[in-house]
Amino acid sequence: MRSSANSLTLTNAETERLALRSQTFVVAWSALLVSLLALSYSYSRGILLLYGDAVAHLHIARRLIDSRTPGLRQLGSVWLPLPHLLLVPFVARLEWWQSGLAGAFPSMGAYILGTAGMYRLARFWLQPRTALLAVVFFALNPGLLYMQTTAMNEPLFLAVMIWAVVLIIEYGRALEADETRRAVQLLIGAGVVLVAGIFTRYDGWVFTFLVWLVALGKMLRKRRWNSPVRGAFVLFTLILAIAPLVWMVYSARQFGDPLDFLRGPYSAQAIEARTATPGSPHYPGWHSMRVAELYFFKAAELGAVPERFANLLLILSLAGGAAGAIRWRHRDGMTALLLWFPAPFYAYSIAYGSVPIFIPIWWPHSWYNTRYGMEMLPIFALSLAFLVACVTDGIARFKPSIVPWVLATAALLMVAGNVALLRAKPLVLDEAIANSRTRISFEVAYAHALEMLPENSTILAYTSEHVGAFQRAGVALKRTINESDYYEWAPALKDPAKAADFVIATDGDRVAQAVAARPDGLTLINIVCSTGQPCARFYRSDRRAASGSITQK
């Protein structure tokens, strides 16, 4: 009789999991439809390449297969490699690289996975209708819908955060139900997801450690250390520890410093030192955790709801998060607090990590790194759903007939808020437009000048700043000798006229310095200038032209 009861319990548990899986697939297919509509909007308006970082991500992915020295050494030193590796199959198609469409496909996949994960996460505690509120708030956010059409890595990291929490909660429940095999599978799955996060953003390194602590706590609390799960936990620990070491070894081998991403010439610290104006005040939040947290939360709020409701959102989220953690504390409600991790992480990063955030309503009244606030979307969505669940459960005791109306009202308010954000222009899109105006006009003119060069010519140029021009012109990167070509770059700078058919010197860059030092054999043939941008000077190599190595246009 007892065995039959256990079998029946397991069967019921399996039936519930299958039903949840079916519901999750419906959410995922719905997210796909919304994702495609957003892509149609962004593509038709030509806004896929507004972010300079999106252009740079596509550049790194493209040069892995299209450069004079293709291969993994082209991954660079600061940005982590997974987003670029995911882009490679798509940037291989020249038209998709040129239009920016290549960047949309991995981000759209991450958005769909993140939305499905949001539903799975909410269903741990909430009924389907209430869980859908979290999905509506998260998935219909206009800023996220825009970002998932670009090569930016925020959608990917959001999916990692959500699914890591989902899997670690399911792992804890499998331990409690004594489903050893399933617990092992879930723990290894969580490890794979977290490794993806480690190779996506440095936030993931700290987040991974916090999730590891939670996993360890569940194992010790359930007293499963002497079970077969122990081996899985050791493997889980090893892969999480090795992943960042792999990146450090790569950095040491390629750039001579295992912490090049932290203190090298392209690190946040070095960039902030180069761009800071001597004698001017530091950016807001510098060495002040309080101010840094205020800026981060405000960026998160403005990206999630209209400005007039920004403070209210934070208050409701704090209330809902606390209520959910307390009410479901015996059902892993406290584990959901992992999603609050970006708040202290970015407060510290702003204060002491040279990572400023600028928002238009506060000094310096500009846009910079506002997208970091997007990492709060999952916890905002879940906390609001928790709050609605607590309210409706209280109402159901006295007047259950109005509960559906409360849920419908909450859903309509969320949709209305997202519509208002869309009409006002999402914060991240505003930033992209504001910071791309001068760059795009310059790169369009630059691209026209590149199109005038013979197709079989070689070009010496520094490409990290304005590779968007080469992208727009469809110039294969293997035609260029640039800073990522480890064997040809330094010799080419010593004698530019000998190295390439054409030399492009942008004010102040390494090529401009080389031309100034060794101008012989070069003839200036074109100058491209644009307001707010440096000038690019095109030189023809007379020596190579005389040899007849190219056909002049």
Side-chain angles (χ1 to χ4, degrees):
M1 290 292 292
R2 202 167 168 183
S3 175
S4 300
N6 288 339
S7 299
L8 182 60
T9 301
L10 290 175
T11 301
N12 289 339
E14 185 61 30
T15 301
E16 289 178 7
R17 284 199 287 265
L18 289 173
L20 180 57
R21 191 177 303 166
S22 298
Q23 295 168 15
T24 305
F25 272 114
V26 172
V27 172
W29 281 107
S30 302
L32 172 61
L33 176 60
V34 174
S35 178
L36 289 171
L37 291 172
L39 177 63
S40 174
Y41 178 91
S42 295
Y43 183 76
S44 65
R45 285 159 177 78
I47 57 177
L48 301 182
L49 295 173
L50 293 181
Y51 270 102
D53 282 358
V55 174
H57 288 310
L58 291 166
H59 171 217
I60 292 172
R62 177 73 185 188
R63 74 190 189 196
L64 286 167
I65 56 173
D66 173 22
S67 69
R68 301 177 83 84
T69 55
L72 292 179
R73 67 174 56 211
Q74 295 290 348
L75 282 170
S77 63
V78 176
W79 278 326
L80 289 158
L82 181 59
H84 309 128
L85 294 174
L86 294 177
L87 286 168
V88 168
F90 306 104
V91 296
R93 185 164 178 173
L94 182 64
E95 297 84 358
W96 288 359
W97 175 50
Q98 285 183 276
S99 66
L101 193 60
F105 297 117
S107 294
M108 290 168 66
Y111 165 80
I112 294 166
L113 286 172
T115 301
M118 196 73 242
Y119 180 75
R120 285 288 291 268
L121 182 62
R123 286 287 284 116
F124 284 133
W125 306 283
L126 307 175
Q127 294 300 312
R129 290 183 300 178
T130 316
L132 283 173
L133 292 178
V135 173
V136 167
F137 188 89
F138 176 82
L140 296 185
N141 178 263
L144 178 58
L145 286 173
Y146 168 65
M147 295 296 272
Q148 62 95 42
T149 66
T150 72
M152 303 297 283
N153 58 31
E154 277 72 21
L156 177 57
F157 191 68
L158 287 177
V160 165
M161 284 177 53
I162 292 167
W163 275 104
V165 176
V166 168
L167 291 172
I168 218 67
I169 290 176
E170 290 198 350
Y171 152 77
R173 295 189 174 188
L175 286 179
E176 189 171 353
D178 205 19
E179 298 175 328
T180 302
R181 183 178 178 182
R182 186 163 182 269
V184 167
Q185 293 172 341
L186 290 165
L187 188 60
I188 298 304
V192 172
V193 169
L194 289 169
V195 167
I198 288 170
F199 286 121
T200 298
R201 293 179 69 96
Y202 294 103
D203 323 16
W205 296 24
V206 181
F207 182 70
T208 292
F209 177 67
L210 295 177
V211 175
W212 179 86
L213 287 177
V214 171
L216 176 62
K218 289 180 181 298
M219 191 167 182
L220 295 177
R221 191 167 60 253
K222 307 299 182 185
R223 298 180 182 178
R224 296 292 191 272
W225 186 251
N226 293 322
S227 74
V229 182
R230 178 177 60 184
F233 186 82
V234 171
L235 178 60
F236 173 74
T237 302
L238 285 175
I239 62 176
L240 297 186
I242 290 172
L245 291 178
V246 168
W247 186 244
M248 291 183 190
V249 170
Y250 166 82
S251 297
R253 182 178 177 83
Q254 296 297 330
F255 308 104
D257 182 359
L259 298 178
D260 186 78
F261 58 88
L262 185 65
R263 59 194 181 195
Y266 300 103
S267 64
Q269 185 177 14
I271 292 172
E272 198 270 333
R274 284 198 301 269
T275 56
T277 304
S280 64
H282 288 288
Y283 62 80
W286 187 80
H287 285 196
S288 171
M289 287 281 288
R290 185 183 67 82
V291 176
E293 194 72 273
L294 285 173
Y295 269 76
F296 174 73
F297 270 130
K298 188 56 67 175
E301 293 163 9
L302 294 176
V305 294
E307 183 180 345
R308 70 183 69 177
F309 302 113
N311 293 334
L312 179 62
L313 170 66
L314 182 58
I315 293 169
L316 294 179
S317 296
L318 288 170
I326 294 170
R327 178 177 177 181
W328 290 292
R329 62 187 178 278
H330 299 303
R331 292 173 54 198
D332 294 297
M334 300 296 288
T335 306
L337 297 178
L338 281 168
L339 294 175
W340 284 99
F341 146 79
F345 176 84
Y346 276 103
Y348 182 85
S349 298
I350 295 169
Y352 302 107
S354 301
V355 181
I357 290 180
F358 299 159
I359 50 179
I361 63 171
W362 289 349
W363 182 82
H365 305 291
S366 183
W367 290 265
Y368 190 58
N369 289 336
T370 60
R371 64 188 184 277
Y372 293 157
M374 190 173 291
E375 289 191 17
M376 294 298 292
L377 274 178
I379 193 59
F380 283 163
L382 188 61
S383 296
L384 292 177
F386 279 165
L387 188 62
V388 171
C390 291
V391 170
T392 53
D393 285 353
I395 293 174
R397 296 174 185 173
F398 305 102
K399 202 162 186 180
S401 60
I402 68 170
V403 168
W405 293 101
V406 173
L407 293 174
T409 301
L412 286 173
L413 287 173
M414 291 179 179
V415 171
N418 284 325
V419 170
L421 277 179
L422 181 62
R423 289 174 62 87
K425 208 173 294 173
L427 184 65
V428 292
L429 179 56
D430 246 352
E431 176 184 338
I433 293 171
N435 294 339
S436 67
R437 286 192 180 99
T438 62
R439 176 180 59 83
I440 287 181
S441 60
F442 175 67
E443 289 179 357
V444 167
Y446 194 157
H448 287 326
L450 286 170
E451 290 168 352
M452 299 300 294
L453 303 182
E455 293 182 1
N456 64 334
S457 60
T458 56
I459 304 166
L460 172 62
Y462 181 79
T463 58
S464 289
E465 290 296 329
H466 291 290
V467 73
F470 293 83
Q471 180 182 12
R472 289 174 182 275
V475 174
L477 297 177
K478 62 185 176 183
R479 285 177 54 193
T480 69
I481 300 172
N482 60 66
E483 67 282 1
S484 67
D485 298 319
Y486 299 95
Y487 303 113
E488 295 187 60
W489 174 247
L493 294 179
K494 294 178 181 177
D495 191 355
K498 180 183 177 182
D501 301 312
F502 295 92
V503 176
I504 304 175
T506 304
D507 291 347
D509 71 6
R510 294 284 301 281
V511 179
Q513 295 169 14
V515 170
R518 189 76 183 271
D520 51 296
L522 296 173
T523 298
L524 181 64
I525 60 171
N526 198 357
I527 301 177
V528 175
C529 293
S530 181
T531 303
Q533 294 290 331
C535 291
R537 291 172 171 80
F538 286 62
Y539 296 88
R540 181 185 65 239
S541 170
D542 297 329
R543 276 187 263 167
R544 292 177 66 93
S547 69
S549 62
I550 60 173
T551 303
Q552 299 290 335
K553 279 192 178 183

Short mmCIF file of all heavy atoms in Angstrom, two decimals, residues 129 133 388 391-392 395 399-413:
data_model
loop_
_atom_site.label_atom_id
_atom_site.label_comp_id
_atom_site.label_asym_id
_atom_site.label_seq_id
_atom_site.Cartn_x
_atom_site.Cartn_y
_atom_site.Cartn_z
N ARG A 129 -2.70 32.15 -13.86
CA ARG A 129 -3.13 33.51 -14.22
C ARG A 129 -2.25 34.57 -13.57
O ARG A 129 -1.92 35.58 -14.19
CB ARG A 129 -4.59 33.72 -13.83
CG ARG A 129 -5.59 32.93 -14.67
CD ARG A 129 -7.02 33.25 -14.26
NE ARG A 129 -7.27 32.93 -12.86
CZ ARG A 129 -8.43 33.14 -12.23
NH1 ARG A 129 -9.44 33.70 -12.90
NH2 ARG A 129 -8.58 32.81 -10.95
N LEU A 133 1.09 37.41 -15.10
CA LEU A 133 1.34 38.83 -14.85
C LEU A 133 2.83 39.13 -14.88
O LEU A 133 3.27 40.15 -15.42
CB LEU A 133 0.74 39.24 -13.50
CG LEU A 133 -0.78 39.24 -13.38
CD1 LEU A 133 -1.19 39.62 -11.97
CD2 LEU A 133 -1.40 40.20 -14.40
N VAL A 388 0.47 40.96 -6.11
CA VAL A 388 -0.90 40.75 -6.59
C VAL A 388 -1.46 39.46 -6.00
O VAL A 388 -2.64 39.40 -5.60
CB VAL A 388 -0.93 40.70 -8.13
CG1 VAL A 388 -2.31 40.27 -8.63
CG2 VAL A 388 -0.58 42.07 -8.71
N VAL A 391 -2.54 40.06 -2.46
CA VAL A 391 -3.76 40.87 -2.41
C VAL A 391 -4.98 40.05 -2.80
O VAL A 391 -6.02 40.07 -2.12
CB VAL A 391 -3.61 42.11 -3.32
CG1 VAL A 391 -4.96 42.82 -3.47
CG2 VAL A 391 -2.56 43.05 -2.78
N THR A 392 -4.87 39.30 -3.89
CA THR A 392 -6.02 38.52 -4.37
C THR A 392 -6.37 37.39 -3.41
O THR A 392 -7.56 37.05 -3.26
CB THR A 392 -5.76 37.95 -5.77
OG1 THR A 392 -4.51 37.22 -5.76
CG2 THR A 392 -5.69 39.05 -6.81
N ILE A 395 -8.43 39.01 -0.81
CA ILE A 395 -9.77 39.33 -1.33
C ILE A 395 -10.63 38.07 -1.45
O ILE A 395 -11.84 38.09 -1.19
CB ILE A 395 -9.65 40.04 -2.69
CG1 ILE A 395 -9.01 41.43 -2.51
CG2 ILE A 395 -11.01 40.15 -3.37
CD1 ILE A 395 -8.70 42.14 -3.81
N LYS A 399 -14.59 38.01 -0.93
CA LYS A 399 -15.38 38.17 -2.15
C LYS A 399 -14.61 37.58 -3.34
O LYS A 399 -14.02 38.30 -4.15
CB LYS A 399 -15.68 39.65 -2.39
CG LYS A 399 -16.90 39.87 -3.27
CD LYS A 399 -17.42 41.28 -3.13
CE LYS A 399 -18.73 41.44 -3.90
NZ LYS A 399 -19.26 42.81 -3.79
N PRO A 400 -14.58 36.27 -3.49
CA PRO A 400 -13.80 35.63 -4.56
C PRO A 400 -14.25 36.00 -5.97
O PRO A 400 -13.46 35.89 -6.90
CB PRO A 400 -14.02 34.13 -4.29
CG PRO A 400 -15.25 34.05 -3.45
CD PRO A 400 -15.28 35.29 -2.63
N SER A 401 -15.47 36.47 -6.11
CA SER A 401 -15.98 36.77 -7.46
C SER A 401 -15.24 37.92 -8.12
O SER A 401 -15.25 38.04 -9.36
CB SER A 401 -17.47 37.09 -7.40
OG SER A 401 -17.71 38.22 -6.57
N ILE A 402 -14.60 38.80 -7.33
CA ILE A 402 -13.94 39.95 -7.96
C ILE A 402 -12.45 39.70 -8.20
O ILE A 402 -11.76 40.55 -8.78
CB ILE A 402 -14.10 41.22 -7.11
CG1 ILE A 402 -13.33 41.12 -5.79
CG2 ILE A 402 -15.56 41.53 -6.88
CD1 ILE A 402 -13.27 42.44 -5.05
N VAL A 403 -11.95 38.53 -7.81
CA VAL A 403 -10.53 38.22 -8.02
C VAL A 403 -10.15 38.28 -9.50
O VAL A 403 -9.13 38.89 -9.86
CB VAL A 403 -10.15 36.85 -7.41
CG1 VAL A 403 -8.77 36.40 -7.88
CG2 VAL A 403 -10.18 36.93 -5.89
N PRO A 404 -10.94 37.68 -10.42
CA PRO A 404 -10.58 37.79 -11.84
C PRO A 404 -10.50 39.23 -12.33
O PRO A 404 -9.67 39.57 -13.18
CB PRO A 404 -11.71 37.03 -12.55
CG PRO A 404 -12.23 36.09 -11.52
CD PRO A 404 -12.12 36.82 -10.23
N TRP A 405 -11.36 40.09 -11.78
CA TRP A 405 -11.34 41.49 -12.18
C TRP A 405 -10.07 42.18 -11.67
O TRP A 405 -9.50 43.03 -12.37
CB TRP A 405 -12.57 42.21 -11.64
CG TRP A 405 -13.84 41.71 -12.27
CD1 TRP A 405 -14.74 40.83 -11.75
CD2 TRP A 405 -14.32 42.04 -13.58
NE1 TRP A 405 -15.76 40.59 -12.62
CE2 TRP A 405 -15.54 41.33 -13.77
CE3 TRP A 405 -13.86 42.87 -14.60
CZ2 TRP A 405 -16.28 41.41 -14.94
CZ3 TRP A 405 -14.61 42.96 -15.77
CH2 TRP A 405 -15.80 42.24 -15.92
N VAL A 406 -9.63 41.79 -10.48
CA VAL A 406 -8.38 42.37 -9.96
C VAL A 406 -7.21 41.96 -10.83
O VAL A 406 -6.35 42.77 -11.17
CB VAL A 406 -8.17 41.93 -8.49
CG1 VAL A 406 -6.79 42.39 -8.00
CG2 VAL A 406 -9.26 42.49 -7.59
N LEU A 407 -7.17 40.67 -11.20
CA LEU A 407 -6.09 40.18 -12.06
C LEU A 407 -6.12 40.86 -13.42
O LEU A 407 -5.07 41.25 -13.96
CB LEU A 407 -6.21 38.66 -12.23
CG LEU A 407 -5.96 37.82 -10.97
CD1 LEU A 407 -6.26 36.36 -11.24
CD2 LEU A 407 -4.51 37.98 -10.51
N ALA A 408 -7.32 41.01 -13.98
CA ALA A 408 -7.44 41.67 -15.28
C ALA A 408 -6.99 43.13 -15.20
O ALA A 408 -6.32 43.64 -16.11
CB ALA A 408 -8.88 41.58 -15.78
N THR A 409 -7.35 43.80 -14.11
CA THR A 409 -6.94 45.20 -13.92
C THR A 409 -5.42 45.31 -13.81
O THR A 409 -4.81 46.20 -14.42
CB THR A 409 -7.59 45.78 -12.66
OG1 THR A 409 -9.01 45.70 -12.78
CG2 THR A 409 -7.17 47.22 -12.45
N ALA A 410 -4.81 44.39 -13.05
CA ALA A 410 -3.35 44.40 -12.92
C ALA A 410 -2.69 44.18 -14.28
O ALA A 410 -1.70 44.86 -14.63
CB ALA A 410 -2.91 43.32 -11.94
N ALA A 411 -3.22 43.26 -15.06
CA ALA A 411 -2.66 42.99 -16.38
C ALA A 411 -2.79 44.21 -17.30
O ALA A 411 -1.85 44.58 -18.02
CB ALA A 411 -3.34 41.78 -17.02
N LEU A 412 -3.97 44.85 -17.26
CA LEU A 412 -4.18 46.04 -18.09
C LEU A 412 -3.25 47.18 -17.69
O LEU A 412 -2.73 47.91 -18.54
CB LEU A 412 -5.64 46.48 -18.00
CG LEU A 412 -6.66 45.62 -18.75
CD1 LEU A 412 -8.09 46.06 -18.44
CD2 LEU A 412 -6.40 45.70 -20.26
N LEU A 413 -3.03 47.34 -16.39
CA LEU A 413 -2.12 48.39 -15.93
C LEU A 413 -0.69 48.13 -16.43
O LEU A 413 0.02 49.06 -16.82
CB LEU A 413 -2.15 48.47 -14.40
CG LEU A 413 -3.40 49.09 -13.78
CD1 LEU A 413 -3.36 48.94 -12.26
CD2 LEU A 413 -3.52 50.56 -14.17
#
